[in-house]
Amino acid sequence: MIEFKHVFKKYTNDIEAASDFSIKIDQGEFVYVVGPSGAGKSTFIKMMYREEKPTSGQIKINEFELDKIKGHEIPYLRRELGIVFQDFKLLPKMTVFENVAYALQVIEKQPTEIQQRVKRVLDLVGLADKADAFPNQLSGGEQQRIAIARAIANQPGIVIADEPTGNLDPDTAGGIMDILEEINQQGTTVVMATHNSGIVNQRKHRVIEIEDGHIIRDQRKGGFSKNE
Ligand code: ADP
Ligand code: ADP
């Protein structure tokens, strides 16, 4: 569950990127966050994983009340979140296997469990045969699939994706969407910021539209713009 109550975010340069955001996202929902560049989409998403702190208001992520969370608790919050970025952010000197396993080693999983989990998520994204490759040997779409595998290896209840198809051609983007929708069908909440109108209009889900730091639309099975 993700809940924002009267959340405001003003950056030090006085730009208000979030003005009175109040929304609730239930477990298992699929939500697109849309709006023009500079609208506040990334800020909204970054506040969910505590990359940015609100200026005021309350954010609740599962059992975590972010205004009360202590520094040492942030890693526990992030274990409940899988995060996917537009630019993949894979570690270039590690193999695919190591990139995915790394997230599990950090949380001290046993080696046999790590092996099993990495295999399972690489199977899910269709790249079990690339386990020994390095990121620069993979296409952009493949790298993003690995990044998704890494994000879900720890079985988070929530996956947050900021423009996950932003660097990909339409066919490849479709493959990424298939995976995100599959994860969602298994009960994971997916929150995805996107500029991709084709995807939003073809694969209908809840749409939260942000403009100039305001939530101007929150629509069940909405289109990329209001009347689509
Ligand atoms: P979007 O993801 O929709 O493009 P952002 O959330 O990145 O929008 O940005 C919203 C507004 O906040 C923009 O005007 C942007 O320039 C500003 N902004 C974002 N991050 C910072 C920052 N760290 N410091 C100052 N202003 C920022
Ligand atoms: P796309 O058409 O999706 O951009 P590419 O043309 O980049 O894909 O890659 C096609 C295939 O070739 C992929 O399976 C990828 O893993 C492989 N590949 C791409 N670059 C390299 C490389 N430098 N070394 C080994 N395999 C590569």
Side-chain angles (χ1 to χ4, degrees):
M1 192 262 300
I2 299 170
E3 193 169 13
F4 279 55
K5 278 190 192 164
H6 303 297
V7 170
F8 290 79
K9 173 68 184 181
K10 196 179 241 183
Y11 286 108
T12 46
N13 56 5
D14 254 19
I15 287 178
E16 192 163 74
S19 178
D20 202 6
F21 283 11
S22 290
I23 55 104
K24 190 172 171 201
I25 297 171
D26 288 321
Q27 185 60 40
E29 285 198 71
F30 195 120
V31 183
Y32 294 118
V33 180
V34 305
S37 199
K41 302 181 298 296
S42 293
T43 301
F44 180 44
I45 279 183
K46 285 178 180 167
M47 288 192 289
M48 293 177 191
Y49 61 94
R50 193 48 177 249
E51 178 71 19
E52 291 291 350
K53 270 190 194 183
T55 314
S56 64
Q58 279 87 49
I59 300 174
K60 210 173 158 203
I61 305 288
N62 298 339
E63 72 275 27
F64 293 97
E65 296 185 31
L66 301 203
D67 53 329
K68 301 198 182 98
I69 200 170
K70 305 231 171 23
H72 73 267
E73 294 172 313
I74 292 174
Y76 296 94
L77 162 73
R78 295 203 180 144
R79 278 178 207 183
E80 300 192 14
L81 303 170
I83 304 167
V84 177
F85 304 94
Q86 178 171 4
D87 60 355
F88 326 134
K89 298 201 193 297
L90 297 174
L91 297 165
K93 291 188 175 156
M94 288 190 187
T95 65
V96 162
F97 180 91
E98 290 163 346
N99 263 281
V100 179
Y102 182 66
L104 298 169
Q105 282 153 355
V106 171
I107 62 168
E108 296 172 354
K109 291 283 176 204
Q110 294 302 312
T112 48
E113 188 180 351
I114 291 176
Q115 292 274 352
Q116 285 166 0
R117 286 220 202 172
V118 175
K119 184 174 181 323
R120 199 173 49 77
V121 292
L122 289 180
D123 277 337
L124 178 76
V125 301
L127 289 175
D129 59 329
K130 301 276 183 184
D132 297 325
F134 286 90
N136 69 1
Q137 297 173 316
L138 302 178
S139 69
E142 289 170 333
Q143 290 185 52
Q144 189 61 294
R145 280 148 69 193
I146 299 304
I148 293 173
R150 178 183 57 185
I152 63 174
N154 190 33
Q155 300 176 305
I158 300 170
V159 167
I160 292 171
D162 198 351
E163 297 281 358
T165 65
N167 287 338
L168 307 175
D169 62 69
D171 278 355
T172 311
I176 294 300
M177 289 307 298
D178 289 342
I179 294 168
L180 291 174
E181 290 189 316
E182 163 90 33
I183 296 165
N184 176 245
Q185 306 243 306
Q186 294 173 6
T188 307
T189 306
V190 176
V191 179
M192 167 176 165
T194 186
H195 278 113
N196 195 320
S197 56
I199 284 175
V200 175
N201 289 332
Q202 275 158 29
R203 301 168 182 251
K204 293 264 169 102
H205 297 292
R206 179 174 172 186
V207 175
I208 292 176
E209 183 174 357
I210 301 178
E211 198 177 279
D212 201 14
H214 295 263
I215 292 178
I216 58 162
R217 178 164 61 109
D218 182 358
Q219 193 177 7
R220 204 176 150 264
K221 295 201 181 293
F224 187 72
S225 53
K226 196 162 186 273
N227 295 314
E228 278 173 307

